[in-house]
Amino acid sequence: MYIVVNNNQSTVDLMKSYKPYILVLIVLLITAGVAYFVFRNFNNRDGIEAVSGKVLERVVSTTTYPTGYVAKNIAIPASPPDGYIKYENKKYGFSYYRSPQATIKEFDEGGGAMTIVQENIKNVRGLQIFIIPYKEKTISEERFRLDVPSGVRKNVEKTFIGLPQVEAVTFNSYDEFLGETREVWFIYNGHLYEITTFKGVGDWFAPLLQTWRFLN
C-alpha cells in the first residue's frame, strides 16, 4: 500500500467527524428497506431474526468472493450494463454509471472536500465516495489511520481504475458502525478518493467501477 506523509489538518478533522455519520445514514436507509422486505415476506422468512443490524449484516454478506475479485475486475474498463444511468461530477472531473434504482446525494464539506453517497434501498446496496484535496503522490500510513480509526487493513491489493488508468489500492477494513467494509482508494489530479462499501459486495460493485472515467 502507499505510504508517506501528513496532510491538511482542518480538513482531516472535518472528515473524521463527518464520515461515520454518512455511513450510518446509508445503514439506516438500507435497514428500512430490509425491514420492508422482511415484513412483506414475513410468512416465508425462514427464521430470520427481528430486523436489526444483524439482519442487515446477513443480507449484505450472504455471498463471499475470493480475495482479488474486486481488484482484478475493476482494472478492466467496460461499457455500462443495460439501463444504467450516467453520473458526472464536473467539479472533480469524473463519471461512472449507476443502476436506475440507485440514488446519489452530494455533501459539500468545504475546504475542497466532498462526500458522495449512492444508495439502493430496494436491492440493499450502498457506497460512499469521499474526496479530499491531497498534495502527496502516495497515501501515508498516517492518512490511512486518520480516515480509518480502527486501523484494520486486510487483503491489500494494488489495481487500476478508470480511463485513463490510475493506480488504486483495494482492501478490507472495519468500521465500528458498519462492521466489515470493502475500500478502494486512489489519488488523482490533486485529490484522494476513498470509495467505501459493505463487505460481500457481490457482482454489482465491480461493473460500476469498470465504467469509471476521468474527464480531465
Side-chain angles (χ1 to χ4, degrees):
M1 162 134 199
Y2 308 7
I3 309 265
V4 167
V5 275
N6 197 354
N7 201 38
N8 186 299
Q9 188 63 40
S10 61
T11 309
V12 167
D13 291 340
L14 181 149
M15 181 273 170
K16 286 174 64 181
S17 63
Y18 192 72
K19 181 178 178 181
Y21 298 101
I22 292 298
L23 292 169
V24 169
L25 174 62
I26 297 176
V27 171
L28 292 175
L29 291 173
I30 291 179
T31 301
V34 174
Y36 170 75
F37 176 82
V38 173
F39 177 78
R40 186 183 62 182
N41 296 282
F42 182 81
N43 294 328
N44 298 309
R45 65 180 185 170
D46 296 325
I48 292 178
E49 309 98 313
V51 176
S52 67
K54 290 184 179 179
V55 173
L56 174 64
E57 181 180 356
R58 174 177 294 187
V59 172
V60 300
S61 303
T62 51
T63 305
T64 56
Y65 292 82
T67 300
Y69 176 81
V70 171
K72 177 181 177 180
N73 284 274
I74 66 173
I76 306 171
S79 299
D82 291 343
Y84 270 42
I85 300 170
K86 186 177 183 179
Y87 166 75
E88 183 173 285
N89 190 304
K90 294 183 178 180
K91 179 177 180 179
Y92 295 99
F94 73 91
S95 68
Y96 71 89
Y97 282 78
R98 61 173 173 84
S99 71
Q101 293 82 20
T103 60
I104 293 180
K105 297 178 182 178
E106 299 177 346
F107 299 85
D108 187 347
E109 299 193 29
M114 175 176 282
T115 300
I116 300 164
V117 175
Q118 175 178 311
E119 52 200 12
N120 184 337
I121 296 175
K122 179 179 179 180
N123 292 327
V124 196
R125 298 169 181 170
L127 67 84
Q128 171 186 288
I129 305 170
F130 179 73
I131 308 170
I132 186 172
Y134 196 74
K135 297 179 181 179
E136 307 303 327
K137 295 182 179 180
T138 56
I139 303 171
S140 69
E141 184 68 23
E142 183 175 3
R143 176 79 249 179
F144 166 75
R145 291 192 175 277
L146 283 168
D147 292 1
V148 184
S150 69
V152 175
R153 184 176 60 220
K154 300 185 295 183
N155 299 327
V156 180
E157 294 181 274
K158 289 186 178 181
T159 186
F160 293 88
I161 186 171
L163 280 178
Q165 293 240 290
V166 170
E167 187 173 343
V169 61
T170 69
F171 57 93
N172 291 342
S173 189
Y174 179 82
D175 180 270
E176 63 177 313
F177 298 101
L178 298 176
E180 293 181 279
T181 62
R182 185 64 173 168
E183 310 267 343
V184 180
W185 290 25
F186 58 91
I187 298 170
Y188 180 75
N189 200 23
H191 290 86
L192 171 62
Y193 292 70
E194 302 174 8
I195 304 176
T196 302
T197 188
F198 301 100
K199 182 186 175 184
V201 292
D203 58 359
W204 67 272
F205 190 55
L208 181 151
L209 294 185
Q210 286 175 337
T211 69
W212 193 285
R213 301 292 184 268
F214 294 104
L215 307 178
N216 49 41

